[in-house]
Amino acid sequence: MKLSWLNQVLELISASTLQVYEDSGRFLHHLVSNQTQALFVLQESWRTSILHWVALSYRRFSSTAIEALEHIIYACLVYLLVCLGIFLTTRSKSPLWRWCKLISNVRFPIAHKLQRILLVTSHPDDECMFFGPLIYTLTHRSSCQVYVLCLSNGNFEKQAELRREELWRSCEMLGVPAANIIMVNATNLPDDPNVEWKAPVVANLILHTVESLDIQAICTFDRDGVSQHPNHSAVYFAAASLCLTNLLPKDCKFYTLDSINILRKYISIFDLLCTCCISTYWCILGWDEAAQIRRAMREHKSQMKWFRWLYIYFSRYMFINSMREVNLSDIELEMQIDDNTF
């Protein structure tokens, strides 16, 4: 691109100003001899100048826009190829690929530091719909016990018993033993986005589970809850309140799943580059491993509406989980930002 769009605008304005100046001079000359003819000449001259300016602007800007569009397309192709390259090199077991391995498929605290991990979800199906790669990765670590605390029985459509069975089958597909699954059946924690979950109630349930199972790390939603579901966000605020009041054991870590914008959410493995550049921790699955997550999701037959079929094939949460560790200073900073905002 030889000239920027701003330079082109300035050039066109200068040319038009000069033309108007010349036309005004001719107008004054004709005005002395014939006022009516001078007005007509000026009108025609200005109309011609405007049409010329518009045509010239259209040609120049269309040429610039096409060139810019080509650059955008090339950049997108390079980005997609880089993501595909990262995916292939992180997941391939062939010695041919090992020498050019760009990044590890798992970046999470090592197993001997975190051996008992509690995943806190709001509804049956959250465990595989959002946390599948994390659970799959952790259950395939030696000496790592994963526990699932589901805070509602999924009775939004009056199918609590069916949802319970689906949760157990899904967790079995992900490698979580039945003895490690806890489903809460509390009337004050219904599966309903229109009902507010009280933070102290949720916090007490989480704290009791952490203490009774000697949990070393909690994993749950962040404040946006991935899908903006109020029940998801309520779990984060409850866990954050435990951290804020220093009620969690000192050796218990607190991790949240990153919420991302809708574009990144539905570009599958092509979110890899963004994830690796922005996130602190991540788990990346291969095609076969992601297929296991989809099979676990299909165990929730009562929830498999048409849009969830699209979700399990296009969502990056079937392949990628990115997390961050939350500590007391992070929560205090968020509270300060909220206070300044409101």
Side-chain angles (χ1 to χ4, degrees):
M1 231 181 281
K2 295 181 179 179
L3 291 174
S4 68
W5 64 271
L6 182 58
N7 289 333
Q8 293 182 10
V9 169
L10 294 175
E11 181 183 320
L12 291 172
I13 292 175
S14 300
S16 300
T17 304
L18 181 61
Q19 183 67 36
V20 170
Y21 176 77
E22 293 174 353
D23 292 341
S24 300
R26 290 196 299 269
F27 167 73
L28 292 174
H29 177 74
H30 287 289
L31 184 62
V32 178
S33 57
N34 191 329
Q35 185 175 2
T36 304
Q37 184 181 1
L39 288 172
F40 177 76
V41 169
L42 181 62
Q43 182 181 3
E44 287 297 314
S45 178
W46 282 7
R47 187 176 68 86
T48 303
S49 297
I50 292 172
L51 291 176
H52 174 72
W53 185 85
V54 170
L56 187 61
S57 300
Y58 176 77
R59 286 197 299 270
R60 291 188 178 182
F61 284 122
S62 61
S63 176
T64 303
I66 292 173
E67 189 175 352
L69 181 60
E70 290 178 354
H71 291 172
I72 292 172
I73 293 173
Y74 293 148
C76 290
L77 288 176
V78 170
Y79 176 85
L80 296 179
L81 289 174
V82 170
C83 288
L84 188 59
I86 293 175
F87 180 75
L88 292 175
T89 56
T90 55
R91 299 310 314 173
S92 177
K93 298 180 181 179
S94 171
L96 180 64
W97 286 100
R98 289 180 183 174
W99 69 272
C100 62
K101 190 168 184 176
L102 300 176
I103 199 166
S104 174
N105 61 303
V106 177
R107 186 176 179 182
F108 200 68
I110 53 181
H112 72 269
K113 291 186 177 180
L114 298 178
Q115 296 182 343
R116 302 175 70 82
I117 299 175
L118 176 66
L119 176 71
V120 186
T121 65
S122 299
H123 317 106
D125 77 2
D126 287 348
E127 77 290 339
C128 55
M129 193 169 182
F130 304 112
F131 296 92
L134 175 63
I135 297 176
Y136 186 93
T137 299
L138 295 177
T139 55
H140 283 74
R141 283 183 171 182
S142 59
S143 70
C144 183
Q145 287 289 323
V146 178
Y147 297 85
V148 176
L149 172 62
C150 183
L151 292 169
S152 73
N153 60 6
N155 200 32
F156 185 67
E157 297 176 337
K158 312 302 179 185
Q159 296 179 317
E161 187 59 33
L162 176 60
R163 298 294 302 278
R164 181 186 183 279
E165 295 174 0
E166 291 174 346
L167 173 63
W168 257 252
R169 290 197 301 267
S170 173
C171 286
E172 182 182 1
M173 296 285 291
L174 295 173
V176 180
N180 291 9
I181 308 171
I182 304 167
M183 174 179 275
V184 177
N185 186 12
T187 55
N188 55 351
L189 296 176
D191 178 3
D192 191 340
N194 299 315
V195 176
E196 180 184 358
W197 287 8
K198 301 298 182 182
V201 176
V202 178
N204 287 335
L205 289 169
I206 296 174
L207 182 60
H208 173 74
T209 307
V210 168
E211 293 176 339
S212 61
L213 296 175
D214 192 22
I215 295 298
Q216 296 173 306
I218 298 173
C219 298
T220 189
F221 298 100
D222 65 3
R223 62 183 296 157
D224 294 320
V226 179
S227 60
Q228 306 293 326
H229 197 297
N231 298 163
H232 297 177
S233 300
V235 180
Y236 166 78
F237 288 117
S241 70
L242 292 175
C243 185
L244 191 62
T245 54
N246 291 317
L247 292 177
L248 285 177
K250 292 183 178 180
D251 60 344
C252 183
K253 304 294 185 181
F254 177 25
Y255 298 95
T256 58
L257 182 69
D258 290 338
S259 294
I260 55 177
N261 61 60
I262 193 168
L263 176 62
R264 290 182 58 196
K265 188 175 180 179
Y266 290 105
I267 57 175
S268 190
I269 63 170
F270 297 110
D271 187 52
L272 272 172
L273 187 57
C274 289
T275 297
C276 296
C277 291
I278 297 173
S279 302
T280 307
Y281 301 109
W282 59 75
C283 301
I284 302 170
L285 301 185
W287 293 109
D288 295 337
E289 296 161 331
Q292 184 74 2
I293 308 302
R294 288 192 289 270
R295 284 192 287 270
M297 184 63 199
R298 287 198 293 269
E299 291 296 333
H300 294 277
K301 294 183 174 62
S302 63
Q303 304 303 300
M304 292 305 295
K305 309 296 191 293
W306 66 269
F307 54 88
R308 285 203 171 91
W309 283 101
L310 295 176
Y311 179 90
I312 66 175
Y313 283 105
F314 291 100
S315 173
R316 57 92 82 168
Y317 288 99
M318 294 291 107
F319 289 92
I320 307 167
N321 275 166
S322 56
M323 292 77 62
R324 71 181 183 100
E325 183 178 353
V326 179
N327 51 44
L328 181 59
S329 60
D330 295 326
I331 299 171
E332 290 175 342
L333 179 60
E334 287 182 355
M335 293 176 63
Q336 184 178 357
I337 293 173
D338 290 342
D339 291 340
N340 293 335
T341 301
F342 297 103

